[in-house]
Amino acid sequence: MLTGMQIAVLGGDARQLEIIRKLTELDAKISLVGFEQLDHAFTGATKEKLSEVDFSIIDAIILPVPGTNLQGEIDTIFSNEKIILTEEIVSQTPEHCTIYSGISNKYLDKVMSSTNRKLVQMFERDDVAIYNSIPTVEGTIMMAIQHTDFTIHGSTIVILGLGRVGMSVARTFHHLGGKVKVGVRKSEHLARVTEMGLEPFHLDNLEKEVENCDICINTIPVHIVKAAVIAKMPAHTLIIDLASKPGGTDFRYAEKRGIKALLAPGLPGIVAPKTAGQILANVLCQLLEEDFDLGKESSS
């Protein structure tokens, strides 16, 4: 239980509602910032403006999955209020206050460093990333069906990367009857692709491997689907880029060539916000309970 714990939830989308619901079940006291347009009320949660929150008693701050932008602004779909997380705000919190976010950036890293506060990036955790790969795959299938005039079954699918998302995507498109080729660099990944019954290739040979590609799915967050690669693709190829913004595709050149290229980060929050929110809520609440118990032990 989180009885007595003070938590500030700043902004976010529908995924945050599952987090708030779980926190209230565990009896935490919650300040909701950026939720004034939300009709639903949660017992134990109070809607407040950023200026109204007493950060000196806050034990944890929960940010949306993207965290902040490079100016410190926090997105929210339930408010028109401009929410900016500043060094001044974070420095008001107790020293033990932990900030939770999906990912980080230079701005957020700088604020954490200057205020000496702990930042937990949820999407760096293997459990969250693996659970999240499930709605990501479903969303990728949805996009592939919506934006092509041919079946996945029998199509040549080129998947770039064999990380936590890449592995799930490769396995599922294979089960749907796609002829799946997976581009990787590490020798152990080449071995794993072979063990999965798929066709491996080294990313150095990417230009050649896309010559008969129907769908190219990128999961690597570096500029890899370059103009030279896109130039070798058939005109009907669909590119789905699952890497975090700005993706790994030359979208300008794809448009010039007439090849449809879609940047689709954050698919879980789009196609299955309830499930994606529950995934985050379960792991987050486990972490909060562990931190809260440690804090009570150290103070006793």
Side-chain angles (χ1 to χ4, degrees), residues 158-160 181-185 190 199-213 216 224 228-230 232-233:
V158 172
I159 295 168
L160 308 180
K181 301 194 290 185
V182 184
V184 293
R185 292 199 187 279
L190 290 167
E199 182 182 336
F201 68 89
H202 197 282
L203 286 169
D204 288 348
N205 302 321
L206 181 54
E207 289 181 29
K208 185 177 188 315
E209 295 293 341
V210 298
E211 288 178 353
N212 65 341
C213 170
C216 177
I224 190 165
V229 174
I230 296 169
K232 296 293 179 67
M233 292 177 174

Side-chain angles (χ1 to χ4, degrees), residues 58-276:
I58 294 297
D59 299 301
I61 295 174
I62 298 174
L63 303 178
V65 168
T68 71
N69 65 14
L70 292 174
Q71 288 73 47
E73 295 178 9
I74 297 169
D75 282 340
T76 179
I77 64 171
F78 301 109
S79 171
N80 293 323
E81 180 188 1
K82 195 170 188 178
I83 305 170
I84 300 177
L85 186 71
T86 62
E87 289 183 18
E88 182 185 0
I89 288 172
V90 177
S91 63
Q92 291 173 28
T93 63
E95 288 185 6
H96 68 265
C97 179
T98 301
I99 290 80
Y100 295 86
S101 178
I103 57 176
S104 188
N105 57 29
K106 289 180 181 177
Y107 178 89
L108 205 48
D109 288 343
K110 181 174 178 291
V111 171
M112 295 304 107
S113 175
S114 64
T115 57
N116 198 27
R117 296 299 186 271
K118 178 183 172 185
L119 174 68
V120 175
Q121 298 180 55
M122 300 291 289
F123 277 26
E124 284 197 344
R125 293 178 57 93
D126 280 338
D127 50 3
V128 172
I130 292 168
Y131 286 133
N132 251 322
S133 72
I134 299 167
T136 297
V137 170
E138 291 190 13
T140 307
I141 294 167
M142 176 190 75
M143 295 180 77
I145 292 170
Q146 284 179 337
H147 295 281
T148 57
D149 56 3
F150 48 84
T151 61
I152 292 171
H153 189 282
S155 296
T156 297
I157 318 287
V158 172
I159 295 168
L160 308 180
L162 196 72
R164 296 161 299 196
V165 172
M167 186 175 288
S168 297
V169 171
R171 183 186 297 113
T172 306
F173 274 79
H174 171 62
H175 288 320
L176 289 173
K179 300 171 185 174
V180 176
K181 301 194 290 185
V182 184
V184 293
R185 292 199 187 279
K186 297 179 180 178
S187 60
E188 59 264 37
H189 287 171
L190 290 167
R192 177 59 69 190
V193 174
T194 303
E195 181 274 329
M196 293 170 69
L198 311 178
E199 182 182 336
F201 68 89
H202 197 282
L203 286 169
D204 288 348
N205 302 321
L206 181 54
E207 289 181 29
K208 185 177 188 315
E209 295 293 341
V210 298
E211 288 178 353
N212 65 341
C213 170
D214 296 307
I215 301 173
C216 177
I217 302 170
N218 177 51
T219 70
I220 304 172
V222 297
H223 189 56
I224 190 165
V225 189
K226 301 177 181 178
V229 174
I230 296 169
K232 296 293 179 67
M233 292 177 174
H236 70 269
T237 301
L238 171 67
I239 301 170
I240 302 175
D241 199 323
L242 301 177
S244 54
K245 289 180 181 178
T249 300
D250 188 333
F251 291 97
R252 184 202 63 80
Y253 185 74
E255 184 178 8
K256 183 178 178 181
R257 260 217 69 197
I259 286 180
K260 184 167 285 188
L262 308 169
L263 179 59
L267 273 180
I270 297 169
V271 301
K274 187 176 182 69
T275 300

Side-chain angles (χ1 to χ4, degrees), residues 259-293:
I259 286 180
K260 184 167 285 188
L262 308 169
L263 179 59
L267 273 180
I270 297 169
V271 301
K274 187 176 182 69
T275 300
Q278 288 170 344
I279 290 166
L280 290 169
N282 290 336
V283 177
L284 178 60
C285 288
Q286 180 186 337
L287 293 173
L288 286 167
E289 283 187 300
E290 289 171 2
D291 281 353
F292 197 43
D293 289 342

